[in-house]
Amino acid sequence: AKKARYAEINWTMADDFEEAVDSEPDDSILFVQAETGEAQTRREADALANQLAKWAHAPPGLRSSHTADTIIGARAQSNSSGSPHGAGLKAGDTICVMLPNRPELAAFAFGMAKAGVCTALINTHQRGNALLHAVRTALRGNSPTASRILVVDDELCSQLGGEKILLQSGSDVGGYSDGSRSGSRGGSSSISGSGGYSSSSSSRASEDNGRSTPPHLHVTVLTLREVQLEGACPFAPLPRPPGEWRKDVKPRDDFLLIFTSGTTGLPKAAAITHTKYAQGGAIFCAFLRPMARPGGRLYCALPLYHSAGIVLGLSSVVRSGATMVLRKRFSARNFCSDIRRFDCVATQYIGEL
């Protein structure tokens, strides 16, 4: 059945996520935050993703027709800073998200997929030219009328001084190598040399190995508090966005953009298509059979903005009915106690740990 689903022309990870939510009991837990012990069920995650999809699709400056569903609450009451009430994004556009390990990051990814929007995951440690380059590379392919938005964790936003000013003003920063990303969304991508990433589809990305001037993009920087994820009510039975919003999105289109760390140059974007994301979860489930079942628990202290955590880990948890125990960052002191406390049967690690 899954193979047949992946062959469908208009299948996306939004469909897979909703199917996974519907196939499990309402109290099935998707996430547990290790620092607080707070749990989020699949139904709560889906409701939050629905709200985010509606916010993404709503025109900027307009309040949602469902007042209770409005994501931007306090800002909607007093829009003195010009922050949009909706993101004004359409299928084929991209939004940047810069969040540590917390359930809202997954809600963004699946919520944007419901609206046909790609989520670019920004490394929370990037600053300066690396951060500006990643955000502008991800957003430069948005349609001319679309908003260009970076959503940042509240604590992280206070650390973005000059970067926030430059992004919001669209100011130029002295020449740096800038890889292009066009609006076309098909094809599978690969990492290229110093100029960004190339693709099997020449219309999807263009290679630039020289030094170029970044585009003058005005980027709206919003904190999680401003998008009011914490104030939104994920427990309400909100209706799902219509499939019409993503009817033109194909399985080989981009679900996520994941950036390299930038240790050998500026960050380069790797596109994770809907099909590639689903395949990653299927492979991981095959290797972790004791965990990949309803009630099984996977411990993850790896950053979800990298493929190990979000492509292999989260995808396998979603499709198998298991639970992901999240810690914002790896802690040698808390590792063993977390495993025992939350009864985890598997964990993810990379050699650097």
Side-chain angles (χ1 to χ4, degrees), residues 119-136:
T119 302
L121 304 177
I122 306 299
N123 188 322
T124 57
H125 297 288
Q126 286 179 347
R127 300 292 184 272
N129 276 3
L131 174 59
L132 299 174
H133 171 84
V135 172
R136 287 169 168 166

Side-chain angles (χ1 to χ4, degrees), residues 14-135:
D15 302 296
D16 227 29
F17 179 66
E18 292 179 352
E19 184 179 286
V21 170
D22 293 340
S23 65
E24 297 295 331
D26 288 350
D27 60 354
S28 172
I29 297 175
L30 179 59
F31 287 111
V32 175
Q33 191 74 49
E35 290 85 351
T36 63
E38 294 181 2
Q40 183 188 66
T41 68
R42 281 168 163 74
R43 287 292 174 191
E44 291 166 357
D46 187 45
L48 188 53
N50 293 339
Q51 290 179 310
L52 284 165
K54 293 177 182 179
W55 168 76
H57 192 264
L62 296 180
R63 182 189 293 272
S64 167
S65 59
H66 301 282
T67 304
D69 300 351
T70 302
I71 294 286
I72 299 180
R75 303 285 289 207
Q77 297 297 328
S78 177
N79 198 25
S80 58
S81 66
S83 187
H85 298 162
L89 298 172
K90 299 293 185 292
D93 290 330
T94 298
I95 187 170
C96 290
V97 176
M98 189 176 183
L99 301 177
N101 282 7
R102 53 188 299 173
E104 288 88 347
L105 193 152
F108 260 104
F110 292 116
M112 295 304 104
K114 289 170 181 274
V117 174
C118 172
T119 302
L121 304 177
I122 306 299
N123 188 322
T124 57
H125 297 288
Q126 286 179 347
R127 300 292 184 272
N129 276 3
L131 174 59
L132 299 174
H133 171 84
V135 172

Side-chain angles (χ1 to χ4, degrees), residues 280-292:
I283 293 171
F284 212 54
C285 282
F287 281 101
L288 291 176
R289 293 188 183 279
M291 180 281 299

Side-chain angles (χ1 to χ4, degrees), residues 6 13 16 110 255 274 276-282 284-285 308-321 324:
Y6 298 155
M13 276 308 303
D16 227 29
F110 292 116
F255 172 48
H274 294 269
K276 189 179 296 184
Y277 187 83
Q279 290 172 339
F284 212 54
C285 282
I310 199 164
V311 178
L312 298 178
L314 181 58
S315 180
S316 64
V317 165
V318 168
R319 69 181 288 123
S320 66
M324 176 173 277

Side-chain angles (χ1 to χ4, degrees), residues 286-303:
F287 281 101
L288 291 176
R289 293 188 183 279
M291 180 281 299
R293 57 176 176 78
R297 291 198 165 189
L298 173 68
Y299 184 79
C300 180
L302 298 179

